[in-house]
Amino acid sequence: MELKYSPKAIEEKWQAHWEKENLFAVTEDESREKYYLLEMFPYPSGRIHMGHVRNYSIGDVVARFLRMRGFNVLHPMGWDAFGMPAENAAIKAGIHPATWTRENIDYMKKQLKKLGFSYDWSREMATCDVSYYRWEQLFFLKMYEKGLAYKKSSYVNWCETCQTVLANEQVEGGACWRCDQSVAQKEMDQWFFKITEYVEELLDHTDKLPGWPERVLTMQKNWIGKSFGSRIFFPLEGMDDQLTVFTTRADTLFGATFMSIAPEHPMVKVLSRGTSQEEAVTDFVQRTVLSKRGDREAGMVEKEGIFTGSYCINPVTRARMPIYVANFVLMEYGTGAVMAVPAHDHRDFEFACKYGLPVKVVIQPDKGSTPLNPEGLTAAFEEDGVLVESGEFSGMPSEDARVAITEHLAGNGQGELTTQYRLRDWGISRQRYWGAPIPIIYCETCGTVPVPPEDLPVVLPTDVELLPNGASPLPVHEPFAVVNCPACGETARRETDTMDTFVESSWYFARFASGNHGEGPLDREKVKYWLPVNQYIGGIEHAVLHLLYSRFFTKVLRDMGYLTVDEPFENLLTQGMVIKDGAKMSKSKGNVVDPDQMVEAYGADTVRLFCLFASPPEKDLEWSDQGVEGSFRFISRIWRLVAENEKALREAVPYEGGAQLSKPLRDLHRKTHQTIRKVSEDIHDRFHFNTAIASVMELVNMMYQLQESPPSDDRYWPVMKEGVEAMVLLLSPIVPHVAEELWRGLGHEESIVNAPWPRWREEALEADEMLIVVQVNGKLRSRVTVSARAGREEMERAALQDERVQDFIAGKDIRKVVVVPGKLVNIVL
């Protein structure tokens, strides 16, 4: 071995060895316990960033650790390759998205290999591969057949910059999750997946995921948004129709004086048609739906509305209630119609005051509180209380009245008790080119016709010219858009929308488990062996989007007979961000650190070590150039420990216990086994790689200290070799390249990948001595060392004989001595 650590040559050597020997490829083996470890696969944006490095380093440590412990570990990698960034970049660069994507995949794959990640590359796939999305199209057809995929006209979230529709989950604070530009509402025909069909199971199963962070489960529960209340029907005056509202406050029904509906409500046009308000309502709706969605959601807009020209009837008071279109009512919440009770809802109160609408108090505070004065009301009273002005229900507490009024309505066919959800069906239509085509044909004679399964795949054409405004070229690309109807043979047109890219990432984990299965989407026996994923690793930003969709897709594929599991991911780790100068790394902030440059300067092992040592995985990691240099120095230190003693270590046989050792060697032997236990528990139980690394550093320090004045004992090198081998094995999942080279330097021919994880021996953990605390009248006065097997009498004697303690007790009467075995002695004067 060279005396100087030179990472470049070492890392290239072992990466080539791993690839040549195909060491990380796995197959199903019923005789071994499986472990499926998966990090969220990357979008091939062109370069990996430090967030990727940290995420994949975390996963790689666990994969290598468990492989050494005998598990059959599946650790695959692929590419989430469809999507708008590729299309936008291709337009800007004047190249095809497929070319841009494939070049990026090639480059990023080389980057990942340079970092030494233990992936089974034989399972690599990209979601833009026809061999992948053809099966997604088959799932679509099966979902269409079962009524889980359908098309309807609705107001959707439209991003003008990206020229496409966004799902509700892809709108963050009123802005597009990708380009951060304002999102508006637009009425369009769209395809949806009926995720609401599984809403109860999605909610119930959040309580069956103990390996998930509570924060993520709470976010999913809140997004599903289950609430109990009443559905109430308000007849429309002069029409044979009604408006339906959902409310949790049926006790306030007698105080409802007007109705507010969302601008996107399908009844808006009906209600204003033919009235003097029709034109004004149309103008108001158009203006409102183009406003910032996030401001409306957050209640940040000034409350505005307009009378539709129509009325509904309060089902209990029979009063005429004017119907307003209001900008603060959202179609996604409840039914998109709200019975307005201004005396008992602050939004309704503000709206009523602005437009001069009646305010009627129907809830008074409980006895003992000051009664509300309907004439001088300055704010809405929103708490529970006692009903007044509510007919036969007056005098009832709010809680009782909610049920009683709803039961009364139900008896007259005017309402019912119900459960409401915030979750809406998943809109999957995207008006972009670079995505999986939706396998549907439109025929003037036959209507909507699904592509026959035997005609799949519907291949995304590559001979298209992208439009500079970002709009999809598919509608004007006749070779793709024009097709014969599979039912009647007449000329028809294809669906030219593509699927939301979250569809691809909702089942990729199952495809990985199927290997290169070509006879269908999934190999049932293989996915039965590998699924669920035992450990999934990714960012908290996917808590609602990807993770909720994947859970939904898993249940759909289960019910189709492809899967046998209810949930895709058994355990979830959401790693923190990598930050620099107090902010998340980004090009706009100028604080990006290039992984390639770091690997070139320090080596992959140093970069991995720093990412794992600087912070626990669930916390944000603050980048530090000094920390990287410190990691390099530590690796150089362990390298010298072996290189400078290579001959003696090679010739020594590791100590295995039995023979008597001198105290310095007993201490090192004990420290070795303490370190094995600490690292094993830190990785297995807590993923606390930082404390695991710190404990190895302590072991290294002890070995260096022992080297400075080695005992004249023929067991010195056997004990040292035991410690050095443990050090190398324990660090091998973290810094695999240097560990391989050191392992070879210690005389081993077999790759360390195939070496078993070291085991600690309980008898080696026992200390010869222990340090106990000595108190006088409960105050710490000294510490003394006694035999690890010392009993009460020996502990008391050592404490009383300690010189510092004698200074405090000299000439004083001792009332009693309290001994806590193994811990402390308290002398009471």
Side-chain angles (χ1 to χ4, degrees):
M1 291 177 63
E2 298 290 332
L3 292 180
K4 184 181 179 181
Y5 170 54
S6 302
K8 185 176 179 62
I10 294 168
E11 291 175 356
E12 289 177 352
K13 168 186 173 182
W14 287 106
Q15 288 161 12
H17 174 78
W18 296 331
E19 186 164 352
K20 179 184 176 183
E21 299 298 322
N22 203 22
L23 289 180
F24 306 122
V26 293
T27 57
E28 300 70 40
D29 184 350
E30 295 291 346
S31 67
R32 298 169 64 197
E33 186 175 356
K34 70 92 179 178
Y35 197 95
Y36 186 176
L37 187 139
L38 183 64
E39 304 99 18
M40 294 180 184
F41 64 167
Y43 184 81
S45 57
R47 300 288 186 273
I48 64 170
H49 52 68
M50 276 301 171
H52 289 126
V53 176
R54 187 186 190 199
N55 185 359
Y56 303 149
S57 295
I58 291 168
D60 199 51
V61 171
V62 179
R64 288 174 176 273
F65 167 72
L66 290 170
R67 186 177 286 111
M68 293 174 73
R69 294 191 64 195
F71 285 82
N72 193 25
V73 178
L74 173 59
H75 189 205
M77 177 51 70
W79 312 95
D80 190 9
F82 272 141
M84 288 182 288
E87 201 168 336
N88 293 341
I91 291 172
K92 186 176 180 180
I95 60 174
H96 196 280
T99 304
W100 186 86
T101 299
R102 294 296 177 186
E103 288 177 354
N104 288 349
I105 287 174
D106 290 344
Y107 189 86
M108 292 174 70
K109 184 175 180 179
K110 290 176 183 176
Q111 286 184 296
L112 294 178
K113 286 190 172 184
K114 280 187 176 181
L115 284 157
F117 298 133
S118 59
Y119 294 128
D120 180 353
W121 285 107
S122 69
R123 297 171 186 263
E124 180 190 11
M125 55 81 179
T127 57
C128 63
D129 295 339
V130 177
S131 60
Y132 182 82
Y133 69 73
R134 68 170 296 177
W135 303 120
E136 189 171 299
Q137 293 173 339
L138 179 63
F139 294 151
F140 179 96
L141 294 177
K142 289 179 177 290
M143 292 172 77
Y144 180 77
E145 183 182 328
K146 292 175 177 291
L148 293 174
Y150 65 92
K151 192 172 191 180
K152 70 173 183 178
S153 176
S154 69
Y155 278 94
V156 294
N157 308 306
W158 177 259
C159 177
E160 186 65 25
T161 303
C162 296
Q163 285 286 298
T164 192
V165 166
L166 304 173
N168 288 340
E169 295 86 346
Q170 293 168 322
V171 179
E172 300 173 350
C176 172
W177 73 296
R178 281 208 182 275
C179 71
D180 205 33
Q181 297 302 303
S182 295
V183 171
Q185 295 286 291
K186 186 176 182 178
E187 190 170 12
M188 299 179 69
D189 288 339
Q190 295 288 295
W191 284 98
F192 291 84
F193 281 159
K194 201 172 183 182
I195 191 173
T196 53
E197 187 76 12
Y198 289 84
V199 63
E200 274 295 334
E201 189 178 354
L202 287 167
L203 184 61
D204 290 345
H205 280 194
T206 57
D207 294 326
K208 299 179 181 179
L209 296 169
W212 283 42
E214 190 60 37
R215 179 185 175 192
V216 173
L217 296 175
T218 298
M219 291 170 74
Q220 292 213 356
K221 289 176 183 177
N222 290 342
W223 189 260
I224 293 169
K226 184 176 184 178
S227 57
F228 300 97
S230 307
R231 185 180 287 121
I232 303 175
F233 312 126
F234 289 75
L236 295 172
E237 184 179 73
M239 302 183 198
D240 186 21
D241 208 341
Q242 61 190 15
L243 282 176
T244 302
V245 306
F246 172 80
T247 179
T248 60
R249 293 298 303 272
D251 54 320
T252 65
L253 178 58
F254 282 82
T257 59
F258 62 96
M259 180 73 69
S260 301
I261 64 175
E264 302 86 358
H265 198 290
M267 288 296 291
V268 168
K269 292 180 181 179
V270 175
L271 294 169
S272 63
R273 186 179 298 139
T275 72
S276 61
Q277 293 290 101
E278 184 172 8
E279 185 177 343
V281 168
T282 300
D283 291 343
F284 177 82
V285 168
Q286 289 178 346
R287 175 166 53 87
T288 304
V289 298
L290 290 173
S291 63
K292 288 187 177 181
R293 173 191 172 90
D295 290 347
R296 289 178 62 201
E297 285 182 338
M300 294 170 61
V301 294
E302 181 185 351
K303 291 173 179 58
E304 290 184 303
I306 191 167
F307 177 46
T308 62
S310 294
Y311 294 83
C312 62
I313 306 300
N314 187 312
V316 291
T317 67
R318 308 308 300 170
R320 297 172 81 219
M321 296 168 53
I323 304 171
Y324 279 74
V325 182
N327 64 348
F328 61 88
V329 181
L330 300 172
M331 197 62 212
E332 291 76 22
Y333 293 87
T335 64
V338 176
M339 67 175 200
V341 187
H344 304 293
D345 181 275
H346 73 279
R347 298 183 308 168
D348 298 340
F349 182 79
E350 292 174 19
F351 193 87
C353 290
K354 181 172 182 175
Y355 292 99
L357 296 165
V359 178
K360 180 182 178 183
V361 173
V362 293
I363 305 288
Q364 287 284 0
D366 293 332
K367 292 178 181 179
S369 300
T370 304
L372 299 176
N373 179 4
E375 302 301 323
L377 203 63
T378 58
F381 176 72
E382 298 184 309
E383 299 175 20
D384 281 1
V386 177
L387 270 66
V388 296
E389 301 293 327
S390 299
E392 65 188 271
F393 306 101
S394 294
M396 273 191 181
S398 289
E399 186 175 353
D400 296 340
R402 284 194 276 272
V403 176
I405 290 175
T406 308
E407 289 178 345
H408 169 79
L409 293 169
N412 298 321
Q414 297 171 317
E416 59 190 357
L417 289 169
T418 189
T419 302
Q420 185 77 32
Y421 300 92
R422 181 190 179 202
L423 182 68
R424 294 292 183 265
D425 284 339
W426 174 13
I428 65 155
S429 293
R430 297 295 178 266
Q431 292 67 44
R432 296 297 294 236
Y433 161 68
W434 190 237
I438 295 174
I440 290 290
I441 293 170
Y442 300 108
C443 174
E444 289 187 2
T445 303
C446 305
T448 300
V449 181
V451 173
E454 60 270 21
D455 290 348
L456 296 179
V458 177
V459 178
L460 185 70
T462 55
D463 57 337
V464 298
E465 287 190 19
L466 298 184
L467 305 178
N469 67 349
S472 173
L474 294 179
V476 296
H477 186 67
E478 295 295 303
F480 175 81
V482 179
V483 65
N484 291 333
C485 172
C488 70
E490 295 296 320
T491 300
R493 291 191 68 83
R494 287 194 188 279
E495 171 63 76
T496 55
D497 284 356
T498 55
M499 286 192 241
D500 180 8
T501 55
F502 277 102
V503 178
E504 282 88 70
S505 60
S506 293
W507 68 283
Y508 79 106
F509 47 87
R511 182 66 183 174
F512 271 148
S514 298
N516 297 310
H517 185 60
E519 305 304 313
L522 300 172
D523 185 312
R524 286 174 169 83
E525 290 305 310
K526 290 181 178 179
V527 295
K528 184 178 180 181
Y529 175 83
W530 288 113
L531 290 183
V533 174
N534 296 94
Q535 182 65 60
Y536 200 36
I537 304 172
I540 190 71
E541 66 271 17
H542 298 291
V544 172
L545 289 160
H546 162 59
L547 291 171
L548 186 64
Y549 293 156
S550 296
R551 296 182 61 220
F552 161 63
F553 234 81
T554 296
K555 297 174 192 307
V556 171
L557 295 182
R558 176 202 62 195
D559 292 347
M560 289 180 182
Y562 288 107
L563 303 179
T564 58
V565 296
D566 296 325
E567 291 289 338
F569 313 121
E570 186 176 34
N571 298 289
L572 173 69
L573 171 66
T574 53
Q575 89 282 353
M577 297 185 298
V578 180
I579 60 177
K580 188 172 187 287
D581 304 325
K584 180 181 178 181
M585 286 187 182
S586 70
K587 292 180 181 178
S588 62
K589 294 185 176 70
N591 63 349
V592 171
V593 175
D594 183 2
D596 284 354
Q597 292 179 2
M598 289 293 105
V599 171
E600 184 66 27
Y602 296 101
D605 283 338
T606 292
V607 177
R608 290 170 58 123
L609 179 64
F610 171 75
C611 288
L612 295 163
F613 181 55
S615 174
E618 70 278 6
K619 304 292 185 183
D620 289 347
L621 182 154
E622 177 72 45
W623 185 265
S624 165
D625 292 339
Q626 293 81 8
V628 175
E629 292 167 1
S631 296
F632 182 81
R633 286 196 300 271
F634 174 69
I635 295 177
S636 299
R637 199 162 184 246
I638 64 171
W639 176 270
R640 289 196 305 274
L641 184 62
V642 177
E644 292 174 356
N645 302 290
E646 181 182 5
K647 184 175 185 298
L649 288 169
R650 266 181 174 269
E651 293 175 352
V653 176
Y655 177 71
E656 294 183 351
Q660 286 292 107
L661 297 174
S662 61
K663 185 179 184 306
L665 294 181
R666 284 202 310 274
D667 290 344
L668 177 57
H669 177 58
R670 183 184 311 109
K671 186 65 174 179
T672 297
H673 287 268
Q674 289 173 341
T675 305
I676 294 171
R677 181 174 68 176
K678 182 75 166 66
V679 173
S680 301
E681 291 175 349
D682 279 350
I683 294 178
H684 183 270
D685 299 342
R686 295 176 286 274
F687 287 4
H688 280 188
F689 313 116
N690 56 327
T691 55
I693 294 166
S695 65
V696 177
M697 289 178 172
E698 292 178 7
L699 175 63
V700 173
N701 288 341
M702 179 175 279
M703 288 190 285
Y704 264 102
Q705 289 167 4
L706 193 59
Q707 261 198 318
E708 291 176 3
S709 55
S712 55
D713 189 324
D714 59 3
R715 295 183 183 87
Y716 170 66
W717 284 113
V719 175
M720 278 290 286
K721 186 163 186 176
E722 178 193 35
V724 169
E725 286 198 341
M727 171 196 74
V728 174
L729 289 165
L730 296 176
L731 287 174
S732 64
I734 298 165
V735 288
H737 309 88
V738 70
E740 286 277 22
E741 191 70 11
L742 295 177
W743 193 243
R744 184 63 56 90
L746 290 169
H748 299 277
E749 296 300 323
E750 182 77 4
S751 169
I752 201 169
V753 169
N754 296 321
W757 187 256
R759 296 177 178 272
W760 70 87
R761 293 200 292 271
E762 290 294 336
E763 67 274 12
L765 301 175
E766 295 178 3
D768 295 331
E769 298 173 333
M770 61 180 174
L771 189 66
I772 62 170
V773 169
V774 182
Q775 298 174 337
V776 177
N777 288 340
K779 294 184 179 180
L780 176 64
R781 297 305 185 191
S782 187
R783 290 181 176 86
V784 295
T785 300
V786 297
S787 166
R789 290 170 290 279
R792 290 175 178 270
E793 291 183 1
E794 186 176 342
M795 287 176 62
E796 179 179 337
R797 184 166 56 252
L800 292 173
Q801 291 176 353
D802 182 72
E803 291 183 3
R804 293 188 62 193
V805 171
Q806 287 180 356
D807 290 341
F808 288 99
I809 65 175
K812 299 175 183 176
D813 293 331
I814 297 175
R815 293 172 53 199
K816 63 178 178 179
V817 178
V818 178
V819 178
V820 179
K823 292 186 178 180
L824 64 83
V825 175
N826 183 23
I827 303 166
V828 182
L829 303 178

